[in-house]
Amino acid sequence: MLWRRNLFAPLAALALALTASAGAGTAAAATDTTVVAAAPAASAADDFGAPGPYATAVEVGAITTLYYPRDIADSDRRHPVIVWGNGTGGVPLVYRDLLLHWASQGFVVAAANTPMSNLGISMRASIDMLTGRNADPGSVFFDRVDLEHIGASGHSQGGAAAIVVGSDPRIDTILPIQPGPLANINAVRVPALLLAGQRDSIVFPALVKAFYNAADHIPALYGEVRGADHFTVVGDPGPFAAPTTAWFRAHLMGDRTAGAQFFGPGCGICTDTATWSDVRRNSLALNVPAATP
């Protein structure tokens, strides 16, 4: 596939560069290792691009890398899950900043380590693994994982994987970022936010719009990030951090302020022309009230 060949080299090179520069901040071994990241400052309730209130930790396993609130074992709540798929040739380290950002907001992020994620096998396995860890009294995750609220996301080939995994009955919402074409959104039965880059020359916006147009059976939104190319989301996620966080806070945490970014007559992203070059909501999304995403 041409899009896969074009994507593999730059993502693989970026992964190697980030691995070399990560130093002590991230575990790179394939065995279970926990590394604590710096504690973020508390964010304002409606500043979804700011770091959240949780210090974060990283655990690198053979199949999955976990990004999660560092003190989850002592948390007074259960934390929702986001499963993640990488772009072709990529690894979770490539997307470290975005995944840690979500963890700082209170999510347990289970990122598949595979650089070929399209089938979503490792993403589903991540849910199985967390189910076991949540039931294990000897685990820091014991009874602290909210398995009733799980979202799926990913970039490029991993975005297609998020659509594939979206047919799993355990998934509550999907957020594919510049998804590759090898997926069938007709099998998805949960709300979807489909993100494109205005200047993406690998996964053209038209390909993402095709998914949106086919998603007439679910509440679906299409957002095209102004000026973004295919690699804007890697490293510092920039304009992708706030809307992705708001979407997951709305659907997995019941955050009404976050929901108002996408639903109701005051739809925040609909008027934010500085961030978005195109925003579309289908008829089912238009019928979702802002207070109940």
Side-chain angles (χ1 to χ4, degrees):
M1 296 289 176
L2 179 61
W3 72 273
R4 285 185 171 178
R5 291 199 300 270
N6 288 344
L7 179 57
F8 181 85
L11 265 184
L14 180 59
L16 290 172
L18 286 175
T19 301
S21 64
T26 303
T31 55
D32 287 348
T33 308
T34 301
V35 178
V36 177
S43 64
D46 58 351
D47 186 2
F48 303 109
Y54 293 93
T56 57
V58 181
E59 178 185 306
V60 182
I63 297 175
T64 305
T65 297
L66 296 175
Y67 300 81
Y68 59 96
R70 182 184 65 192
D71 297 325
I72 192 169
D74 300 318
S75 178
D76 60 358
R77 53 170 292 187
R78 293 183 178 89
H79 295 263
V81 175
I82 302 170
V83 292
W84 172 265
N86 308 303
T88 306
V91 294
L93 181 59
V94 171
Y95 306 98
R96 178 179 184 271
D97 288 358
L98 178 61
L99 307 184
L100 282 174
H101 179 74
W102 290 342
S104 80
Q105 292 280 340
F107 297 98
V108 176
V109 183
N113 290 338
T114 176
M116 301 297 287
S117 57
N118 209 136
L119 296 178
I121 295 171
S122 296
M123 294 167 71
R124 296 178 197 267
S126 298
I127 302 175
D128 297 335
M129 180 268 290
L130 280 173
T131 300
R133 299 285 291 274
N134 187 62
D136 179 4
S139 169
V140 297
F141 297 99
F142 176 59
D143 200 31
R144 295 299 88 194
V145 183
D146 183 359
L147 295 166
E148 298 300 315
H149 295 93
I150 303 175
S153 187
H155 175 235
S156 197
Q157 184 182 156
I163 296 173
V164 171
V165 173
S167 64
D168 190 305
R170 297 173 293 182
I171 298 295
D172 295 289
T173 186
I174 63 171
L175 198 165
I177 301 172
Q178 298 160 299
L182 302 181
N184 179 10
I185 204 165
N186 292 325
V188 176
R189 293 292 180 269
V190 295
L193 172 60
L194 296 142
L195 297 184
Q198 183 187 23
R199 297 180 180 173
D200 192 339
S201 59
I202 295 176
V203 175
F204 299 108
L207 294 173
V208 185
K209 287 177 186 174
F211 280 126
Y212 167 77
N213 291 334
D216 56 0
H217 60 294
I218 56 175
L221 287 78
Y222 169 82
E224 187 177 288
V225 179
R226 184 175 296 281
D229 63 25
H230 196 67
F231 300 103
T232 298
V233 72
V234 304
D236 179 353
F240 288 91
T244 58
T245 300
W247 181 264
F248 283 129
R249 286 189 65 91
H251 288 86
L252 304 182
M253 293 180 174
D255 186 327
R256 296 186 176 189
T257 301
Q261 292 295 306
F262 310 99
F263 302 106
C267 165
I269 69 169
C270 299
T271 56
D272 181 7
T273 56
T275 302
W276 306 97
S277 51
D278 191 359
V279 172
R280 305 181 185 195
R281 300 187 292 172
N282 69 9
S283 60
L284 293 177
L286 287 171
N287 288 329
V288 176
T292 54

